Amino acid sequence: MKAWSIRMPAELLEWLRERAAKETIKRKRNVSINSIMVEILTAAMADEKKGD
């Protein structure tokens, strides 16, 4: 995997933190903000490929 860095608005970061916390509870294992971002971007990429 490649590393990347991103600047984002505080509101978006807070949403990601909350989403990661909810997923941690739901999955009963630690879910990081990075893994949430990868899931979101992977799903978006798959949706885009379906449209081609």
Side-chain angles (χ1 to χ4, degrees):
M1 277 200 181
K2 300 278 185 173
W4 63 297
S5 177
I6 183 171
R7 290 177 181 258
M8 66 180 72
E11 184 178 324
L12 178 57
L13 181 58
E14 186 61 29
W15 179 83
L16 284 168
R17 283 186 181 130
E18 289 178 14
R19 174 103 181 247
K22 289 176 184 176
E23 287 298 317
T24 293
I25 293 167
K26 180 179 170 184
R27 300 179 194 187
K28 297 181 180 173
R29 65 177 184 84
N30 190 37
V31 178
S32 69
I33 292 173
N34 286 343
S35 65
I36 293 294
M37 286 299 301
V38 170
E39 289 175 10
I40 290 168
L41 294 171
T42 301
M45 183 177 67
D47 288 347
E48 187 175 300
K49 286 183 179 181
K50 285 180 190 176
D52 287 346

